[in-house]
Amino acid sequence: MYPIGILYVVATPIGNLQDITLRALDTLKAVDAIAAEDTRHTSGLLSYFGISKKLIAVHEHNEHQSAEKLLSQLNAGESIALVTDAGTPGISDPGAVVVDLVRKAGVKVVPVPGVSAVIAALSASGIVQNGFMFHGFLPASGAARRKVLETLKTQTVTLVIYEAPHRIVDSIADMCAVLGGERRITFARELTKTFETIYSCNLSDAVAWLEADTNQQRGEFVLLIEAAALKDAEEMPEETVRILKLLLAELPLKQAVKLATEITHEKKNVLYEFALQLKQESE
């Protein structure tokens, strides 16, 4: 059953159309209208599955105006599916403005999850580090991009970044300069498509790999960048180590890290990774 007056946030395939979920298809068939980032692109998807629906354009240039229109239709009792060109609306794509307005107006929003480029890339990367941080797209200009990379430099989890083909070489060069050439990077390019590529190397070798084959500069990229090295006991302040060890002896790991963060003002993610290291050494 699909009640009226609900906004469905529907994930669609990132490449291979067979990755769409049965629930997504049922939802797209049942709603009154579909709000799409690119109506031409979505028309092709719907045609492939034999679905015919009224389409409403919702893209980055008209999202605020479209959100008001969609809210009016939802309040009138229509059910609407919100989709993007590939993946999930609002994740480095239009959609968040619509969802925010609709939820604040008290209209129900229902997620219809599906394929994720981030999770697909991580699953095929072989990266075993704990946790990841999804950043999305870096700024287009070099100076702004390098500034953001400086803020990400000390993250002790895998960095997940999206990048477009026309910026890929410059972005990788900036990553190498700011993060260090010894870090490993995994390219996940054109995921689920005909020319899918998953390739790992050091950042110092990445630009040369891209320039050796211009085909590898085409398509959409998910970049997985090795985490910053954990602080060891010699780098961590002695008092911080003492406090963390005392707390770990009496409390569960998460609670110990939370209190240690409040006491020492060290970064929570750094203390968490260090606490895991201490636990492993004591076992």
Side-chain angles (χ1 to χ4, degrees), residues 74-143:
L74 290 163
N75 283 329
E78 290 189 27
S79 59
I80 297 173
L82 177 66
V83 302
T84 186
D85 288 353
T88 305
I91 310 299
S92 290
D93 270 323
V97 170
V98 172
V99 170
D100 183 51
L101 179 72
V102 168
R103 289 186 68 248
K104 284 178 177 176
V107 175
K108 188 172 183 179
V109 176
V110 176
V112 182
V115 68
S116 162
V118 173
I119 301 305
L122 286 164
S123 72
S125 70
I127 293 171
V128 295
Q129 292 168 332
N130 289 319
F132 66 91
M133 175 183 174
F134 173 64
H135 180 79
F137 286 97
L138 293 169
S141 73

Side-chain angles (χ1 to χ4, degrees), residues 223-280:
L223 306 174
L224 311 175
I225 303 161
E226 184 180 26
L230 295 175
K231 287 185 177 181
D232 57 29
E234 284 144 12
E235 294 174 308
M236 189 76 75
E238 185 177 334
E239 181 64 7
T240 299
V241 176
R242 187 184 74 82
I243 290 169
L244 190 53
K245 284 182 175 179
L246 286 172
L247 292 171
L248 285 170
E250 302 295 332
L251 299 169
L253 187 142
K254 286 187 178 180
Q255 191 175 350
V257 169
K258 183 176 183 293
L259 287 174
T261 302
E262 294 173 0
I263 295 167
T264 66
H265 303 295
E266 286 278 350
K267 290 184 177 180
K268 186 176 181 181
N269 64 316
V270 172
L271 285 177
Y272 184 82
E273 294 294 339
F274 186 64
L276 285 175
Q277 184 178 313
L278 290 175
K279 293 278 281 186
Q280 290 168 359

Side-chain angles (χ1 to χ4, degrees), residues 129 133 135 138 144-161 174-184 203 225-231 267 269-270:
Q129 292 168 332
M133 175 183 174
H135 180 79
L138 293 169
R145 183 166 55 235
R146 289 188 291 274
K147 186 175 181 179
V148 170
L149 286 169
E150 285 288 352
T151 69
L152 300 174
K153 186 175 181 178
T154 58
Q155 291 295 327
T156 56
V157 291
T158 299
L159 300 176
V160 183
I161 292 171
D174 284 341
M175 289 175 194
C176 184
V178 175
L179 304 179
E182 72 283 354
R183 292 242 200 143
R184 297 285 288 175
L203 271 171
I225 303 161
E226 184 180 26
L230 295 175
K231 287 185 177 181
K267 290 184 177 180
N269 64 316
V270 172

